mmCIF file of all heavy atoms in Angstrom:
data_model
loop_
_atom_site.group_PDB
_atom_site.id
_atom_site.type_symbol
_atom_site.label_atom_id
_atom_site.label_comp_id
_atom_site.label_asym_id
_atom_site.label_seq_id
_atom_site.Cartn_x
_atom_site.Cartn_y
_atom_site.Cartn_z
ATOM 1 N N VAL A 1 -5.744 6.907 -9.119
ATOM 2 C CA VAL A 1 -6.831 6.118 -8.505
ATOM 3 C C VAL A 1 -6.943 6.383 -6.989
ATOM 4 O O VAL A 1 -7.979 6.688 -6.443
ATOM 5 C CB VAL A 1 -6.706 4.646 -8.769
ATOM 6 C CG1 VAL A 1 -7.817 3.858 -8.009
ATOM 7 C CG2 VAL A 1 -6.821 4.330 -10.264
ATOM 8 N N ILE A 2 -5.758 6.406 -6.378
ATOM 9 C CA ILE A 2 -5.720 6.652 -4.894
ATOM 10 C C ILE A 2 -6.180 8.096 -4.592
ATOM 11 O O ILE A 2 -6.843 8.356 -3.583
ATOM 12 C CB ILE A 2 -4.264 6.393 -4.397
ATOM 13 C CG1 ILE A 2 -3.953 4.899 -4.380
ATOM 14 C CG2 ILE A 2 -4.103 6.996 -2.970
ATOM 15 C CD1 ILE A 2 -2.567 4.570 -3.976
ATOM 16 N N ALA A 3 -5.856 9.047 -5.520
ATOM 17 C CA ALA A 3 -6.245 10.410 -5.259
ATOM 18 C C ALA A 3 -7.767 10.562 -5.196
ATOM 19 O O ALA A 3 -8.307 11.459 -4.600
ATOM 20 C CB ALA A 3 -5.722 11.270 -6.405
ATOM 21 N N SER A 4 -8.476 9.561 -5.817
ATOM 22 C CA SER A 4 -9.960 9.609 -5.844
ATOM 23 C C SER A 4 -10.600 8.703 -4.780
ATOM 24 O O SER A 4 -11.868 8.530 -4.815
ATOM 25 C CB SER A 4 -10.466 9.286 -7.244
ATOM 26 O OG SER A 4 -9.960 10.169 -8.212
ATOM 27 N N ALA A 5 -9.763 8.078 -3.948
ATOM 28 C CA ALA A 5 -10.264 7.086 -3.008
ATOM 29 C C ALA A 5 -10.340 7.624 -1.579
ATOM 30 O O ALA A 5 -9.599 8.549 -1.184
ATOM 31 C CB ALA A 5 -9.386 5.851 -3.073
ATOM 32 N N ASP A 6 -11.220 6.959 -0.793
ATOM 33 C CA ASP A 6 -11.223 7.278 0.643
ATOM 34 C C ASP A 6 -10.476 6.188 1.460
ATOM 35 O O ASP A 6 -9.860 6.527 2.461
ATOM 36 C CB ASP A 6 -12.726 7.235 1.173
ATOM 37 C CG ASP A 6 -13.603 8.253 0.408
ATOM 38 O OD1 ASP A 6 -13.209 9.457 0.429
ATOM 39 O OD2 ASP A 6 -14.615 7.846 -0.175
ATOM 40 N N LEU A 7 -10.535 4.973 0.953
ATOM 41 C CA LEU A 7 -9.811 3.843 1.555
ATOM 42 C C LEU A 7 -8.960 3.138 0.545
ATOM 43 O O LEU A 7 -9.389 2.945 -0.637
ATOM 44 C CB LEU A 7 -10.830 2.860 2.165
ATOM 45 C CG LEU A 7 -11.849 3.318 3.198
ATOM 46 C CD1 LEU A 7 -12.742 2.132 3.581
ATOM 47 C CD2 LEU A 7 -11.175 3.892 4.387
ATOM 48 N N VAL A 8 -7.796 2.686 0.943
ATOM 49 C CA VAL A 8 -6.944 1.892 0.062
ATOM 50 C C VAL A 8 -6.522 0.633 0.830
ATOM 51 O O VAL A 8 -6.111 0.643 1.977
ATOM 52 C CB VAL A 8 -5.674 2.691 -0.347
ATOM 53 C CG1 VAL A 8 -4.720 1.788 -1.202
ATOM 54 C CG2 VAL A 8 -6.011 3.968 -1.082
ATOM 55 N N PHE A 9 -6.682 -0.566 0.088
ATOM 56 C CA PHE A 9 -6.202 -1.824 0.598
ATOM 57 C C PHE A 9 -5.033 -2.243 -0.335
ATOM 58 O O PHE A 9 -5.180 -2.193 -1.527
ATOM 59 C CB PHE A 9 -7.296 -2.872 0.581
ATOM 60 C CG PHE A 9 -8.431 -2.622 1.591
ATOM 61 C CD1 PHE A 9 -9.525 -1.823 1.154
ATOM 62 C CD2 PHE A 9 -8.393 -3.181 2.818
ATOM 63 C CE1 PHE A 9 -10.546 -1.621 2.085
ATOM 64 C CE2 PHE A 9 -9.407 -2.958 3.764
ATOM 65 C CZ PHE A 9 -10.506 -2.187 3.338
ATOM 66 N N THR A 10 -3.985 -2.676 0.304
ATOM 67 C CA THR A 10 -2.842 -3.166 -0.554
ATOM 68 C C THR A 10 -2.533 -4.637 -0.191
ATOM 69 O O THR A 10 -2.515 -5.021 0.982
ATOM 70 C CB THR A 10 -1.543 -2.295 -0.320
ATOM 71 O OG1 THR A 10 -1.156 -2.356 1.065
ATOM 72 C CG2 THR A 10 -1.839 -0.878 -0.654
ATOM 73 N N SER A 11 -2.337 -5.440 -1.245
ATOM 74 C CA SER A 11 -2.044 -6.868 -1.014
ATOM 75 C C SER A 11 -1.278 -7.436 -2.208
ATOM 76 O O SER A 11 -1.740 -8.382 -2.842
ATOM 77 C CB SER A 11 -3.368 -7.701 -0.827
ATOM 78 O OG SER A 11 -4.183 -7.546 -2.052
ATOM 79 N N THR A 12 -0.169 -6.844 -2.520
ATOM 80 C CA THR A 12 0.639 -7.322 -3.602
ATOM 81 C C THR A 12 1.835 -8.113 -3.071
ATOM 82 O O THR A 12 2.209 -8.051 -1.905
ATOM 83 C CB THR A 12 1.149 -6.185 -4.530
ATOM 84 O OG1 THR A 12 2.315 -5.562 -3.930
ATOM 85 C CG2 THR A 12 0.111 -5.187 -4.760
ATOM 86 N N SER A 13 2.579 -8.845 -3.995
ATOM 87 C CA SER A 13 3.763 -9.554 -3.623
ATOM 88 C C SER A 13 5.033 -8.724 -3.777
ATOM 89 O O SER A 13 6.105 -9.298 -3.746
ATOM 90 C CB SER A 13 3.832 -10.819 -4.495
ATOM 91 O OG SER A 13 3.918 -10.498 -5.842
ATOM 92 N N SER A 14 4.865 -7.434 -3.985
ATOM 93 C CA SER A 14 6.101 -6.572 -4.144
ATOM 94 C C SER A 14 6.977 -6.647 -2.935
ATOM 95 O O SER A 14 6.498 -6.620 -1.750
ATOM 96 C CB SER A 14 5.600 -5.130 -4.402
ATOM 97 O OG SER A 14 6.767 -4.275 -4.381
ATOM 98 N N THR A 15 8.254 -6.745 -3.177
ATOM 99 C CA THR A 15 9.183 -6.760 -2.024
ATOM 100 C C THR A 15 9.648 -5.359 -1.608
ATOM 101 O O THR A 15 10.369 -5.195 -0.635
ATOM 102 C CB THR A 15 10.460 -7.543 -2.431
ATOM 103 O OG1 THR A 15 11.032 -6.990 -3.603
ATOM 104 C CG2 THR A 15 10.107 -9.003 -2.748
ATOM 105 N N GLU A 16 9.222 -4.300 -2.304
ATOM 106 C CA GLU A 16 9.473 -2.973 -1.966
ATOM 107 C C GLU A 16 8.181 -2.151 -1.770
ATOM 108 O O GLU A 16 7.171 -2.471 -2.424
ATOM 109 C CB GLU A 16 10.314 -2.272 -3.072
ATOM 110 C CG GLU A 16 11.693 -2.906 -3.335
ATOM 111 C CD GLU A 16 12.577 -2.721 -2.133
ATOM 112 O OE1 GLU A 16 12.445 -1.732 -1.360
ATOM 113 O OE2 GLU A 16 13.510 -3.615 -1.972
ATOM 114 N N PRO A 17 8.143 -1.194 -0.849
ATOM 115 C CA PRO A 17 6.854 -0.412 -0.696
ATOM 116 C C PRO A 17 6.466 0.311 -1.970
ATOM 117 O O PRO A 17 7.235 0.853 -2.700
ATOM 118 C CB PRO A 17 7.274 0.605 0.394
ATOM 119 C CG PRO A 17 8.473 0.021 1.036
ATOM 120 C CD PRO A 17 9.175 -0.787 -0.001
ATOM 121 N N LEU A 18 5.179 0.227 -2.192
ATOM 122 C CA LEU A 18 4.594 0.914 -3.374
ATOM 123 C C LEU A 18 4.146 2.325 -2.994
ATOM 124 O O LEU A 18 4.094 3.213 -3.833
ATOM 125 C CB LEU A 18 3.345 0.100 -3.877
ATOM 126 C CG LEU A 18 3.660 -1.317 -4.400
ATOM 127 C CD1 LEU A 18 2.351 -2.008 -4.810
ATOM 128 C CD2 LEU A 18 4.626 -1.268 -5.526
ATOM 129 N N LEU A 19 3.730 2.472 -1.719
ATOM 130 C CA LEU A 19 3.306 3.787 -1.268
ATOM 131 C C LEU A 19 4.252 4.252 -0.159
ATOM 132 O O LEU A 19 4.650 3.510 0.721
ATOM 133 C CB LEU A 19 1.872 3.749 -0.721
ATOM 134 C CG LEU A 19 0.724 3.292 -1.643
ATOM 135 C CD1 LEU A 19 -0.602 3.219 -0.967
ATOM 136 C CD2 LEU A 19 0.699 4.276 -2.868
ATOM 137 N N ASN A 20 4.542 5.549 -0.174
ATOM 138 C CA ASN A 20 5.372 6.179 0.853
ATOM 139 C C ASN A 20 4.935 7.650 1.014
ATOM 140 O O ASN A 20 4.059 8.101 0.355
ATOM 141 C CB ASN A 20 6.844 6.073 0.475
ATOM 142 C CG ASN A 20 7.171 6.612 -0.888
ATOM 143 O OD1 ASN A 20 6.680 7.696 -1.303
ATOM 144 N ND2 ASN A 20 7.969 5.865 -1.715
ATOM 145 N N ARG A 21 5.589 8.254 1.987
ATOM 146 C CA ARG A 21 5.253 9.688 2.234
ATOM 147 C C ARG A 21 5.372 10.562 1.012
ATOM 148 O O ARG A 21 4.512 11.386 0.788
ATOM 149 C CB ARG A 21 6.088 10.184 3.361
ATOM 150 C CG ARG A 21 5.885 11.644 3.644
ATOM 151 C CD ARG A 21 6.668 12.199 4.827
ATOM 152 N NE ARG A 21 6.424 13.696 4.919
ATOM 153 C CZ ARG A 21 6.662 14.438 5.948
ATOM 154 N NH1 ARG A 21 7.143 13.817 7.021
ATOM 155 N NH2 ARG A 21 6.407 15.743 5.953
ATOM 156 N N ALA A 22 6.455 10.333 0.241
ATOM 157 C CA ALA A 22 6.772 11.246 -0.869
ATOM 158 C C ALA A 22 5.668 11.170 -1.918
ATOM 159 O O ALA A 22 5.154 12.235 -2.276
ATOM 160 C CB ALA A 22 8.106 10.899 -1.446
ATOM 161 N N ASN A 23 5.316 9.925 -2.359
ATOM 162 C CA ASN A 23 4.323 9.874 -3.439
ATOM 163 C C ASN A 23 2.909 10.215 -3.021
ATOM 164 O O ASN A 23 2.082 10.688 -3.740
ATOM 165 C CB ASN A 23 4.359 8.597 -4.242
ATOM 166 C CG ASN A 23 4.144 7.353 -3.384
ATOM 167 O OD1 ASN A 23 3.594 7.412 -2.244
ATOM 168 N ND2 ASN A 23 4.553 6.145 -3.863
ATOM 169 N N LEU A 24 2.582 10.004 -1.753
ATOM 170 C CA LEU A 24 1.274 10.379 -1.151
ATOM 171 C C LEU A 24 1.157 11.873 -0.980
ATOM 172 O O LEU A 24 0.156 12.484 -1.230
ATOM 173 C CB LEU A 24 0.941 9.661 0.091
ATOM 174 C CG LEU A 24 0.551 8.130 -0.026
ATOM 175 C CD1 LEU A 24 0.323 7.527 1.338
ATOM 176 C CD2 LEU A 24 -0.688 8.049 -0.885
ATOM 177 N N GLU A 25 2.287 12.460 -0.530
ATOM 178 C CA GLU A 25 2.288 13.907 -0.311
ATOM 179 C C GLU A 25 2.084 14.648 -1.642
ATOM 180 O O GLU A 25 1.430 15.702 -1.636
ATOM 181 C CB GLU A 25 3.611 14.315 0.311
ATOM 182 C CG GLU A 25 3.593 15.662 0.945
ATOM 183 C CD GLU A 25 4.770 15.851 1.841
ATOM 184 O OE1 GLU A 25 5.850 15.271 1.545
ATOM 185 O OE2 GLU A 25 4.687 16.655 2.806
ATOM 186 N N CYS A 26 2.605 14.089 -2.733
ATOM 187 C CA CYS A 26 2.385 14.744 -4.040
ATOM 188 C C CYS A 26 1.004 14.501 -4.555
ATOM 189 O O CYS A 26 0.581 15.194 -5.466
ATOM 190 C CB CYS A 26 3.458 14.147 -5.021
ATOM 191 S SG CYS A 26 5.137 14.602 -4.644
ATOM 192 N N THR A 27 0.336 13.476 -4.066
ATOM 193 C CA THR A 27 -0.954 13.089 -4.639
ATOM 194 C C THR A 27 -2.151 13.664 -3.915
ATOM 195 O O THR A 27 -3.132 14.108 -4.512
ATOM 196 C CB THR A 27 -1.115 11.509 -4.571
ATOM 197 O OG1 THR A 27 -0.054 10.943 -5.342
ATOM 198 C CG2 THR A 27 -2.464 11.084 -5.137
ATOM 199 N N LEU A 28 -2.056 13.715 -2.562
ATOM 200 C CA LEU A 28 -3.119 14.208 -1.772
ATOM 201 C C LEU A 28 -3.057 15.743 -1.465
ATOM 202 O O LEU A 28 -1.945 16.248 -1.375
ATOM 203 C CB LEU A 28 -3.150 13.476 -0.389
ATOM 204 C CG LEU A 28 -3.221 11.920 -0.451
ATOM 205 C CD1 LEU A 28 -3.094 11.360 0.947
ATOM 206 C CD2 LEU A 28 -4.466 11.387 -1.157
ATOM 207 N N THR A 29 -4.223 16.332 -1.368
ATOM 208 C CA THR A 29 -4.254 17.772 -0.907
ATOM 209 C C THR A 29 -4.027 17.787 0.571
ATOM 210 O O THR A 29 -4.299 16.745 1.268
ATOM 211 C CB THR A 29 -5.618 18.380 -1.305
ATOM 212 O OG1 THR A 29 -6.647 17.675 -0.559
ATOM 213 C CG2 THR A 29 -5.857 18.300 -2.776
ATOM 214 N N PRO A 30 -3.609 18.910 1.130
ATOM 215 C CA PRO A 30 -3.228 18.921 2.540
ATOM 216 C C PRO A 30 -4.398 18.462 3.505
ATOM 217 O O PRO A 30 -4.130 17.958 4.568
ATOM 218 C CB PRO A 30 -2.849 20.378 2.826
ATOM 219 C CG PRO A 30 -2.395 20.866 1.431
ATOM 220 C CD PRO A 30 -3.235 20.110 0.430
ATOM 221 N N ASN A 31 -5.595 18.719 3.083
ATOM 222 C CA ASN A 31 -6.760 18.351 3.952
ATOM 223 C C ASN A 31 -7.521 17.128 3.471
ATOM 224 O O ASN A 31 -8.654 16.946 3.944
ATOM 225 C CB ASN A 31 -7.715 19.542 4.024
ATOM 226 C CG ASN A 31 -7.047 20.757 4.730
ATOM 227 O OD1 ASN A 31 -6.324 20.649 5.678
ATOM 228 N ND2 ASN A 31 -7.307 21.956 4.148
ATOM 229 N N GLN A 32 -6.913 16.395 2.560
ATOM 230 C CA GLN A 32 -7.680 15.183 2.040
ATOM 231 C C GLN A 32 -7.332 13.971 2.890
ATOM 232 O O GLN A 32 -6.229 13.517 2.823
ATOM 233 C CB GLN A 32 -7.206 14.989 0.575
ATOM 234 C CG GLN A 32 -7.935 13.799 -0.062
ATOM 235 C CD GLN A 32 -7.428 13.562 -1.490
ATOM 236 O OE1 GLN A 32 -6.601 14.327 -2.016
ATOM 237 N NE2 GLN A 32 -7.914 12.494 -2.102
ATOM 238 N N PRO A 33 -8.316 13.506 3.614
ATOM 239 C CA PRO A 33 -8.062 12.309 4.466
ATOM 240 C C PRO A 33 -7.993 10.973 3.673
ATOM 241 O O PRO A 33 -8.646 10.862 2.607
ATOM 242 C CB PRO A 33 -9.253 12.256 5.430
ATOM 243 C CG PRO A 33 -10.351 12.873 4.606
ATOM 244 C CD PRO A 33 -9.702 13.940 3.720
ATOM 245 N N LEU A 34 -7.160 10.056 4.149
ATOM 246 C CA LEU A 34 -7.008 8.785 3.457
ATOM 247 C C LEU A 34 -6.660 7.728 4.515
ATOM 248 O O LEU A 34 -5.833 7.962 5.392
ATOM 249 C CB LEU A 34 -5.875 8.796 2.409
ATOM 250 C CG LEU A 34 -5.650 7.496 1.647
ATOM 251 C CD1 LEU A 34 -6.827 7.243 0.667
ATOM 252 C CD2 LEU A 34 -4.391 7.534 0.837
ATOM 253 N N MET A 35 -7.361 6.579 4.408
ATOM 254 C CA MET A 35 -7.031 5.422 5.261
ATOM 255 C C MET A 35 -6.386 4.324 4.325
ATOM 256 O O MET A 35 -6.937 4.064 3.307
ATOM 257 C CB MET A 35 -8.252 4.857 5.955
ATOM 258 C CG MET A 35 -8.749 5.623 7.134
ATOM 259 S SD MET A 35 -9.995 4.807 8.014
ATOM 260 C CE MET A 35 -10.435 6.035 9.231
ATOM 261 N N VAL A 36 -5.308 3.763 4.831
ATOM 262 C CA VAL A 36 -4.577 2.738 4.125
ATOM 263 C C VAL A 36 -4.516 1.465 4.951
ATOM 264 O O VAL A 36 -4.089 1.543 6.085
ATOM 265 C CB VAL A 36 -3.205 3.248 3.667
ATOM 266 C CG1 VAL A 36 -2.524 2.121 2.870
ATOM 267 C CG2 VAL A 36 -3.275 4.559 2.945
ATOM 268 N N PHE A 37 -4.959 0.303 4.412
ATOM 269 C CA PHE A 37 -4.871 -0.929 5.104
ATOM 270 C C PHE A 37 -3.995 -1.849 4.279
ATOM 271 O O PHE A 37 -4.302 -2.339 3.194
ATOM 272 C CB PHE A 37 -6.318 -1.542 5.249
ATOM 273 C CG PHE A 37 -7.240 -0.659 5.976
ATOM 274 C CD1 PHE A 37 -7.989 0.310 5.313
ATOM 275 C CD2 PHE A 37 -7.387 -0.834 7.346
ATOM 276 C CE1 PHE A 37 -8.824 1.176 6.060
ATOM 277 C CE2 PHE A 37 -8.293 -0.021 8.094
ATOM 278 C CZ PHE A 37 -9.021 1.016 7.428
ATOM 279 N N ASP A 38 -2.830 -2.095 4.854
ATOM 280 C CA ASP A 38 -1.791 -2.855 4.161
ATOM 281 C C ASP A 38 -1.758 -4.284 4.787
ATOM 282 O O ASP A 38 -1.313 -4.489 5.938
ATOM 283 C CB ASP A 38 -0.501 -2.233 4.331
ATOM 284 C CG ASP A 38 0.682 -2.865 3.574
ATOM 285 O OD1 ASP A 38 0.441 -3.840 2.826
ATOM 286 O OD2 ASP A 38 1.873 -2.581 3.835
ATOM 287 N N ILE A 39 -2.191 -5.280 3.952
ATOM 288 C CA ILE A 39 -2.226 -6.670 4.536
ATOM 289 C C ILE A 39 -1.180 -7.519 3.832
ATOM 290 O O ILE A 39 -1.272 -8.788 3.791
ATOM 291 C CB ILE A 39 -3.618 -7.276 4.389
ATOM 292 C CG1 ILE A 39 -4.115 -7.259 2.949
ATOM 293 C CG2 ILE A 39 -4.573 -6.552 5.341
ATOM 294 C CD1 ILE A 39 -5.457 -7.971 2.788
ATOM 295 N N ALA A 40 -0.172 -6.881 3.251
ATOM 296 C CA ALA A 40 0.876 -7.631 2.598
ATOM 297 C C ALA A 40 2.146 -7.712 3.515
ATOM 298 O O ALA A 40 2.361 -6.866 4.320
ATOM 299 C CB ALA A 40 1.340 -6.933 1.310
ATOM 300 N N VAL A 41 2.880 -8.830 3.350
ATOM 301 C CA VAL A 41 4.189 -8.983 4.000
ATOM 302 C C VAL A 41 5.139 -9.602 2.900
ATOM 303 O O VAL A 41 4.848 -10.700 2.461
ATOM 304 C CB VAL A 41 4.136 -9.899 5.232
ATOM 305 C CG1 VAL A 41 5.544 -10.080 5.812
ATOM 306 C CG2 VAL A 41 3.164 -9.362 6.268
ATOM 307 N N PRO A 42 6.169 -8.900 2.538
ATOM 308 C CA PRO A 42 6.649 -7.615 3.026
ATOM 309 C C PRO A 42 5.593 -6.499 2.751
ATOM 310 O O PRO A 42 4.787 -6.573 1.871
ATOM 311 C CB PRO A 42 7.943 -7.315 2.192
ATOM 312 C CG PRO A 42 8.350 -8.709 1.721
ATOM 313 C CD PRO A 42 7.148 -9.442 1.563
ATOM 314 N N ARG A 43 5.683 -5.433 3.539
ATOM 315 C CA ARG A 43 4.671 -4.387 3.475
ATOM 316 C C ARG A 43 4.720 -3.631 2.143
ATOM 317 O O ARG A 43 5.790 -3.384 1.574
ATOM 318 C CB ARG A 43 4.853 -3.405 4.639
ATOM 319 C CG ARG A 43 4.471 -3.917 5.994
ATOM 320 C CD ARG A 43 4.790 -2.987 7.114
ATOM 321 N NE ARG A 43 6.263 -2.877 7.262
ATOM 322 C CZ ARG A 43 6.842 -2.059 8.201
ATOM 323 N NH1 ARG A 43 6.076 -1.362 8.985
ATOM 324 N NH2 ARG A 43 8.176 -2.024 8.272
ATOM 325 N N ASN A 44 3.493 -3.283 1.674
ATOM 326 C CA ASN A 44 3.421 -2.432 0.446
ATOM 327 C C ASN A 44 3.438 -0.984 0.788
ATOM 328 O O ASN A 44 3.583 -0.129 -0.158
ATOM 329 C CB ASN A 44 2.144 -2.793 -0.283
ATOM 330 C CG ASN A 44 2.050 -4.171 -0.863
ATOM 331 O OD1 ASN A 44 0.996 -4.706 -1.147
ATOM 332 N ND2 ASN A 44 3.202 -4.815 -1.036
ATOM 333 N N VAL A 45 3.318 -0.632 2.063
ATOM 334 C CA VAL A 45 3.205 0.800 2.516
ATOM 335 C C VAL A 45 4.320 1.039 3.467
ATOM 336 O O VAL A 45 4.390 0.421 4.519
ATOM 337 C CB VAL A 45 1.806 1.046 3.117
ATOM 338 C CG1 VAL A 45 1.716 2.540 3.541
ATOM 339 C CG2 VAL A 45 0.681 0.721 2.134
#
């Protein structure tokens, strides 16, 4: 789903990050821009 998005908002109760460099690097093409807005604490990103 994120691979097809321009913007991502995260707001889960997870205590561990859901998004990181490794899984985004595998998902996005080198020139594919993405904005992520993380409003969770602990952070989801």
Side-chain angles (χ1 to χ4, degrees):
V1 174
I2 289 175
S4 302
D6 302 306
L7 304 178
V8 177
F9 293 88
T10 61
S11 62
T12 81
S13 58
S14 173
T15 57
E16 298 294 332
L18 299 177
L19 298 179
N20 53 44
R21 173 175 177 164
N23 59 18
L24 283 178
E25 197 166 28
C26 294
T27 301
L28 304 175
T29 62
N31 296 320
Q32 181 181 354
L34 181 70
M35 284 190 186
V36 182
F37 300 86
D38 182 9
I39 56 175
V41 179
R43 287 173 293 179
N44 294 160
V45 181

